[in-house]
Amino acid sequence: MPDRGGGPSGPRIRVGRPSRRARTLLMTLGVLAVLAMAFVMFAGFWTDWLWYRSVRYSSVFTTTLWTKIGLFAVFGLLMALAVGLNIWLAYRLRPPLSAMSLEQQSLDRYRMGVAPFKKWVLLAVTALVGLIAGASASGQWRTWLMWVNGVDFGEKDAQFGKDVAFYAFDLPWYRFLLAFGFAAVILSLIAAAITHYLYGGLRVTSPGARATAAATGHLSVLLGVFVSLKAVAYWLDRYGLAVKSSDFKATGNWTGLRYVDANAFLPAKTILFCIAVICAVLFFATLWRRTWQLPVIGFGLMVLSAVLIGGLYPAIVQKFQVQPNEQAKEAPYIQKNIDATRKAYAIDETKLENYSGKSTVKAKDKLRTDADSAAAYRLLDPNIVSPTFQQLEQKRKYYQFPTTLDVDHYKGQDVVIGLRELNIRGIPKRNWINDHFTYTHGYGAIMARGTQTDANGSPVFTESGLPTTGELGKYQQRIYYGEKTDQYSIVGGPQKELDYEENGEKTTSYEGDSGVSLSSAFNRAAYAVAFSEPQILYSGAIGDGSRILYNRTPKERVEAVAPWLTIDGDAYPAVVDGRIQWIVDAYTTTNGYPYASRTTLGDTTADSLTVGNQQRAVVAQQNQVNYIRNSVKATVDAYDGTVNLYQWDTEDPVLKTWMKAFPGTVKPKAELKGDLLAHLRYPQDMFKVQRELLTRYHVTDPAQFYSGSDAWQVPDDPTNKDNVAVPPYYLSMKMPGDTEQRFSLTTTFTPNGRPNLGGFMAVDADATSKEYGRLRLLRVTEDVPGPAQVQSKLNGLPDVATFVRDMKGADSDIQYGNLLTVPLDGGFLYVEPVYAQGRNALYPLLKKVAVSYVDADQPGGDTTKDITVFQNNLTDALNAVFGVEGTTPPTTPPDTEQPPTTEQPPASADAALKQAIADAQKAYDAGEAALAKGDWAAYGKAQEDLQAALKRAADAGAKIQPSGEGGAEKPESGGSGGAEKPESGS
């Protein structure tokens, strides 16, 4: 009888199965929960597919997807089979009866516990290892596609004579297979050993034999496979030496074989390969001999050989053969490294010329005339004038310009250009409708002459207004895709968007065909889940014709449709055939070019413009590379987001490989023509990588390269206090020997640890030029001041001190613009715009122009002639620096040795001069102390005392040298309180 659980008179509580209705409800809720989770996981996949289809690159999505699925399935299944088969085999090879020992008795409970579920345990273990292995293998989709589609380079490595494609495409895949094989064998060995132990095939503490014959044979075969894989690894390691990175104290980062690699490691790897093969055979032989003795001896021999032959012997060769005469021993290998590195980075045809720094023209009028045609000196610094564009051309608070504007070339003139993009943070009333439906796009391209400002120091706009008018003519001004546009918008439906026309504001509806349609409820639900925004599902603002726009930055779109490309940090706009097009430079890279030294893209491409500005950072698929080509030019339409990829480097084997993997995604170079071709330029990140390599690899002689006597460095930006590299500058200029200006990208070099100028490099950056991409490198052979020295001398000018004092007195900040360097008649001309921004002015204005001409040829002396001036405009500065008539004399007289005067100075004048110099030094020190304390009243008083002392020194000097050829001696500190450069934007 059942236990009624209570007294005869008490209430009874019956606990039984839930009712059918309750069970149905619970089951329904469970199914709905599973379906909801499945839909959440599916939503991301579905929205990705819709996006790729909307940009007409669905083949990229499907190719990568099926490649990942295939790798996941194949390698996951292989791993599961390998582990599962060895577990099953170990179970089948178990002894019929386990010895009745304490060890086996303690294992009985585990055997009994596993017995009812052994099939499920086997499936669980194999499924787990299969899933992990498959997920790992799917991440190798790029390696697989490059291996299966690899195209020969047509170049052979210097050591083994194999095509470079073997190292770039084949070797990475072989290494992955080898790593997978090791993982499969090790997991199988562990699983088999545990199974043998559990079922008595292996014993740890029991007396007698430690392993049955079956277990011995099984495990020996697995160990033999492991050692066989090790033999393959030794063989591949031989080729791996050609792409091995090492630290070579003579040159720093090094890739490829050195003397010890070719003469010690290479034969050692071959010997170890042979030993490993023999050892593997001994392990396989245990199937017949059933003893561990010989395999264990062989394995011990292999380990000992790896230590002695693979480690100790190379160390002995390095110590006693290489180090006593390292330069001679390493010279052939250094030459291989130089040749491979220069070719891998496309700097092998760089034309290196000696440039003395001595002026070849002595006539001042001729120098002045030549200066006018030497370059189009860009006075608008695109890194400084963005606030000026913002204040003068923003027009509405919900628009913005990028922090750094772009330099382009229109109708033969260098211009600074920026797009008026949407600023969602400036919307007057923030809500979901305004953020995503009403305020959807920017409006218009704003352009100004790079070489000119008006009388107030403001840019001279050639395209301005809202809507814009000017030199660009009629074009589609709406900007739905831009560098600052990182939020999604829903357009084209019932909800209208804010827009403009000549008479003011109006509403509009998007007429482009980009974006994904939200007309179907399924799509709306998918995006509601993907964007975590439920209003997308039920909002009445979405209806027929509604489309969602996202992934809207140019670099993001190009990276998505071409995930095998590295994207340049600076996308720049151009108006082409009535449309605003974003132009994006893209690179193909590899890390497997034999003998070519590696570089880290993130570090190499960093400069004063990228620090703290991720928008200008390179988007690298692999950060460590030793081969790079600007193989693709991409465009993104600012209105409809259309992405086009154009083949630029028709010889690049890496690009050809990817074009085989993704056919139809890259258009032929022949389609690049007309206005678009005219706006293409040499990319900055490629140039920065090349200049970093050329700091060492401009030297092609192994002995000189080894000594490092002519090593250079990229100087720090003298206008920035963060100690970061100076960026390269775009400007139209003439290199020595040229008859006309070329739109160029330029940079300077200084010797390692020295501030003087070591080299100057320019590349023809105009894509329409026959010499596009031609790198010209000037090695400065004389002692010429570098950018930091020129900046320091400028800061020490009395005129600069006065200007700074006046601006500080007016509560204005000083900002130094780009310091441009231009070769001129054998010397160098430096030009730097100087901006001021007052408290009430929200943007900087050009107030001064500093010019310095340095010439290493000084008659009668052995110091460089360095004339630096600080004037109101470029014309006055150029006149003054060359001392032509009708201008004030140069601010800084040439440091040339003057002819001695025959008249002896009177003693009183000499004493007055010395006293004036002492007073000037005292006033200067007082000014510096006041400046450090922030005491502006004391600083102003010190500057007045300094000016008075300098005037007395000048008067006394005039009495000493009545002819005016001499001058008063200046204080060594720089002569004025302006020696310390004011902090920009403080």
Side-chain angles (χ1 to χ4, degrees):
M1 296 292 291
D3 183 4
R4 300 185 182 275
S9 60
R12 291 163 52 190
I13 301 176
R14 186 181 295 273
V15 179
R17 295 177 61 192
S19 66
R20 177 176 295 179
R21 179 178 297 178
R23 292 199 305 272
T24 303
L25 178 61
L26 289 174
M27 185 175 296
T28 302
L29 291 176
V31 171
L32 289 177
V34 172
L35 290 176
M37 288 188 291
F39 185 76
V40 168
M41 292 186 290
F42 177 75
F45 163 81
W46 182 246
T47 53
D48 284 347
W49 160 248
L50 292 175
W51 186 86
Y52 275 95
R53 191 175 64 177
S54 73
V55 294
R56 300 174 182 85
Y57 282 89
S58 56
S59 63
V60 174
F61 180 82
T62 54
T63 299
T64 55
L65 176 65
W66 287 115
T67 302
K68 290 178 180 179
I69 291 175
L71 292 172
F72 178 89
V74 170
F75 286 94
L77 184 61
L78 286 175
M79 183 64 77
L81 285 174
V83 175
L85 179 63
N86 280 281
I87 292 176
W88 175 83
L89 188 60
Y91 178 75
R92 289 295 303 271
L93 295 176
R94 70 190 186 281
L97 293 174
S98 301
M100 295 305 296
S101 64
L102 291 177
E103 181 182 17
Q104 290 302 313
Q105 290 176 9
S106 66
L107 292 175
D108 274 344
R109 57 178 176 174
Y110 296 109
R111 286 193 287 265
M112 295 294 290
V114 170
F117 311 104
K118 56 179 178 291
K119 290 184 179 179
W120 293 106
V121 171
L122 178 62
L123 288 175
V125 171
T126 55
L128 178 62
V129 296
L131 287 173
I132 295 174
S136 175
S138 66
Q140 298 293 323
W141 65 271
R142 290 184 177 89
T143 308
W144 160 260
L145 288 175
M146 292 183 76
W147 177 69
V148 77
N149 295 287
V151 173
D152 284 349
F153 276 66
E155 305 166 14
K156 297 186 181 298
D157 79 281
Q159 181 68 37
F160 301 101
K162 284 188 169 292
D163 191 272
V164 173
F166 170 79
Y167 302 93
F169 306 141
D170 299 344
L171 191 58
W173 178 249
Y174 297 154
R175 282 176 164 171
F176 164 71
L177 291 179
L178 192 62
F180 178 83
F182 275 123
V185 170
I186 291 172
L187 289 175
S188 298
L189 187 63
I190 293 172
I194 291 174
T195 305
H196 280 301
Y197 177 69
L198 184 63
Y199 288 96
L202 289 178
R203 302 179 181 89
V204 177
T205 60
S206 300
R210 300 294 185 184
T212 63
T216 300
H218 184 197
L219 297 180
S220 294
V221 168
L222 288 176
L223 287 171
V225 174
F226 177 86
V227 177
S228 298
L229 291 175
K230 188 62 180 175
V232 176
Y234 282 133
W235 189 257
L236 288 181
D237 284 347
R238 299 169 67 256
Y239 300 109
L241 293 172
V243 290
K244 183 191 73 171
S245 290
S246 60
D247 184 22
F248 188 15
K249 65 180 181 180
T251 59
N253 180 36
W254 175 273
T255 300
L257 288 86
R258 290 156 47 193
Y259 181 90
V260 69
D261 297 310
N263 294 277
F265 277 110
L266 186 57
K269 296 292 184 183
T270 305
I271 295 172
L272 289 172
F273 164 77
C274 297
I275 294 174
V277 170
I278 296 172
C279 185
V281 171
L282 293 176
F283 273 107
F284 291 134
T286 57
L287 286 173
W288 296 276
R289 292 180 57 85
R290 303 295 183 179
T291 176
W292 291 88
Q293 185 175 7
L294 286 178
V296 169
I297 293 174
F299 189 78
L301 177 62
M302 187 180 74
V303 173
L304 182 62
S305 300
V307 173
L308 297 178
I309 302 175
L312 184 60
Y313 174 62
I316 293 173
V317 171
Q318 178 68 24
K319 178 70 175 178
F320 295 101
Q321 290 189 30
V322 178
Q323 287 186 6
N325 191 18
E326 188 173 53
Q327 179 176 323
K329 294 288 188 182
E330 301 288 9
Y333 305 96
I334 293 176
Q335 188 64 63
K336 293 176 184 179
N337 177 266
I338 292 173
D339 294 341
T341 302
R342 287 173 62 88
K343 193 165 189 64
Y345 292 94
I347 56 177
D348 52 321
E349 296 183 2
T350 301
K351 185 177 181 181
L352 180 62
E353 309 165 31
N354 286 332
Y355 188 84
S356 68
K358 296 180 179 180
S359 178
T360 56
V361 174
K362 302 306 177 187
K364 296 179 179 179
D365 291 344
K366 181 66 166 60
L367 281 170
R368 177 65 183 87
T369 301
D370 291 347
D372 281 337
S373 61
Y377 306 101
R378 183 166 42 75
L379 301 179
L380 284 192
D381 185 342
N383 194 43
I384 289 181
V385 298
S386 179
T388 309
F389 275 51
Q390 187 84 359
Q391 181 65 18
L392 299 179
E393 289 296 330
Q394 180 189 22
K395 302 301 183 183
R396 299 291 188 273
K397 189 178 179 181
Y398 42 81
Y399 290 137
Q400 63 181 328
F401 290 93
T403 305
T404 299
L405 303 176
D406 289 291
V407 178
D408 204 347
H409 205 56
Y410 277 85
K411 299 179 180 179
Q413 291 188 339
D414 294 354
V415 298
V416 174
I417 185 172
L419 298 192
R420 188 191 283 123
E421 296 189 42
L422 180 67
N423 178 16
I424 195 171
R425 290 176 294 277
I427 295 175
K429 185 177 181 181
R430 298 290 302 276
N431 55 55
W432 189 64
I433 293 295
N434 278 347
D435 285 359
H436 300 288
F437 291 82
T438 305
Y439 297 88
T440 59
H441 58 277
Y443 212 97
I446 306 301
M447 192 167 69
R449 291 193 178 94
T451 58
Q452 187 179 353
T453 60
D454 64 16
N456 295 322
S458 297
V460 176
F461 292 104
T462 58
E463 185 75 21
S464 60
L466 181 64
T468 70
T469 57
E471 294 183 357
L472 295 179
K474 187 177 181 180
Y475 65 99
Q476 173 57 263
Q477 298 193 19
R478 297 174 183 86
I479 302 165
Y480 284 88
Y481 296 88
E483 289 181 299
K484 294 287 190 178
T485 314
D486 52 9
Q487 76 284 351
Y488 71 87
S489 290
I490 300 175
V491 298
Q495 182 70 38
K496 298 298 181 181
E497 310 163 46
L498 180 67
D499 202 61
Y500 290 92
E501 60 183 1
E502 293 181 3
N503 297 326
E505 293 185 6
K506 68 169 187 175
T507 59
T508 189
S509 187
Y510 183 66
E511 298 177 354
D513 61 355
S514 68
V516 178
S517 173
L518 294 179
S519 298
S520 76
F522 186 82
N523 285 359
R524 292 173 66 173
Y527 278 100
V529 171
F531 289 175
S532 301
E533 181 49 73
Q535 294 186 76
I536 294 177
L537 182 60
Y538 56 77
S539 174
I542 302 175
D544 290 341
S546 292
R547 309 178 73 84
I548 185 168
L549 313 180
Y550 61 104
N551 289 351
R552 298 169 71 182
T553 66
K555 293 197 297 183
E556 187 178 26
R557 292 178 79 79
V558 174
E559 183 192 12
V561 303
W564 33 274
L565 290 174
T566 291
I567 312 301
D568 189 89
D570 183 26
Y572 56 99
V575 177
V576 179
D577 297 329
R579 311 277 286 199
I580 299 176
Q581 299 283 352
W582 288 100
I583 301 175
V584 183
D585 284 289
Y587 311 108
T588 47
T589 62
T590 182
N591 196 26
Y593 197 101
Y595 268 108
S597 289
R598 290 179 171 86
T599 187
T600 304
L601 291 180
D603 297 336
T604 305
T605 58
D607 59 33
S608 62
L609 299 187
T610 64
V611 172
N613 185 3
Q614 287 301 312
Q615 182 179 306
R616 294 182 66 90
V618 64
V619 182
Q621 298 301 332
Q622 55 180 160
N623 205 21
Q624 276 272 332
V625 303
N626 67 351
Y627 171 94
I628 186 169
R629 289 292 185 274
N630 177 212
S631 53
V632 172
K633 301 284 188 180
T635 62
V636 178
D637 192 291
Y639 181 72
D640 63 20
T642 300
V643 181
N644 287 312
L645 306 176
Y646 298 95
Q647 183 182 17
W648 184 248
D649 189 334
T650 58
E651 303 299 324
D652 177 31
V654 182
L655 178 60
K656 292 178 180 179
T657 296
W658 286 119
M659 289 175 69
K660 282 182 63 179
F662 296 94
T665 57
V666 181
K667 297 182 177 181
K669 185 176 183 179
E671 295 190 26
L672 274 173
K673 59 182 69 173
D675 288 347
L676 177 57
L677 186 62
H679 290 289
L680 301 182
R681 68 189 192 189
Y682 200 83
Q684 292 191 61
D685 285 341
M686 177 79 173
F687 187 74
K688 286 189 278 189
V689 169
Q690 290 174 321
R691 74 171 179 177
E692 180 65 31
L693 269 297
L694 282 169
T695 58
R696 290 181 295 149
Y697 287 92
H698 66 280
V699 176
T700 56
D701 178 69
Q704 189 179 14
F705 187 91
Y706 176 88
S707 69
S709 60
D710 196 23
W712 294 343
Q713 63 187 12
V714 177
D716 290 340
D717 188 346
T719 68
N720 189 294
K721 289 189 174 182
D722 292 334
N723 295 324
V724 287
V726 62
Y729 295 126
Y730 287 105
L731 77 158
S732 295
M733 57 161 288
K734 290 194 297 187
M735 285 289 281
D738 287 348
T739 58
E740 59 183 16
Q741 294 180 9
R742 302 176 186 271
F743 186 63
S744 305
L745 188 57
T746 66
T747 191
T748 54
F749 299 97
T750 58
N752 266 351
R754 295 283 301 156
N756 55 290
L757 197 62
F760 177 85
M761 185 169 73
V763 63
D764 190 334
D766 183 359
T768 62
S769 169
K770 293 181 180 179
E771 295 191 343
Y772 169 86
R774 177 194 179 198
L775 290 165
R776 292 186 60 185
L777 183 58
L778 306 181
R779 177 195 278 123
V780 182
T781 58
E782 299 291 337
D783 190 7
V784 173
Q789 291 173 306
V790 170
Q791 186 71 51
S792 178
K793 186 160 190 177
L794 170 66
N795 295 339
L797 296 181
D799 287 355
V800 175
T802 302
F803 175 73
V804 171
R805 181 192 63 198
D806 294 343
M807 291 297 101
K808 291 292 185 182
D811 202 14
S812 296
D813 293 326
I814 311 301
Q815 297 184 53
Y816 290 94
N818 37 224
L819 180 58
L820 304 176
T821 308
V822 177
L824 175 63
D825 291 335
F828 283 96
L829 188 68
Y830 291 92
V831 177
E832 181 177 30
V834 181
Y835 299 81
Q837 179 174 343
R839 171 188 291 181
N840 298 323
L842 301 179
Y843 55 93
L845 296 172
L846 181 68
K847 290 299 183 183
K848 295 284 187 177
V849 177
V851 174
S852 180
Y853 184 65
V854 293
D855 174 12
D857 186 15
Q858 177 191 345
D862 56 1
T863 59
T864 301
K865 179 166 55 179
D866 179 1
I867 308 171
T868 304
V869 300
F870 189 66
Q871 298 292 332
N872 293 326
N873 55 63
L874 179 61
T875 300
D876 289 349
L878 290 175
N879 288 339
V881 81
F882 295 115
V884 300
E885 294 183 3
T887 64
T888 56
T891 307
T892 302
D895 295 333
T896 55
E897 184 177 336
Q898 302 297 333
T901 177
T902 56
E903 182 180 353
Q904 296 296 323
S908 58
D910 184 60
L913 175 60
K914 292 181 180 179
Q915 183 59 48
I917 292 174
D919 292 343
Q921 184 64 54
K922 182 178 179 181
Y924 173 76
D925 293 339
E928 290 295 289
L931 187 63
K933 296 178 181 178
D935 188 345
W936 297 111
Y939 179 76
K941 177 65 167 59
Q943 294 304 302
E944 293 175 359
D945 293 344
L946 176 61
Q947 293 297 323
L950 290 175
K951 186 177 184 307
R952 286 190 285 111
D955 292 342
K959 294 179 181 179
I960 296 174
Q961 293 182 328
S963 63
E965 294 175 343
E969 183 182 347
K970 297 184 182 71
E972 293 180 0
S973 57
S976 80
E980 182 173 341
K981 188 176 80 172
E983 183 175 349
S984 298
S986 60

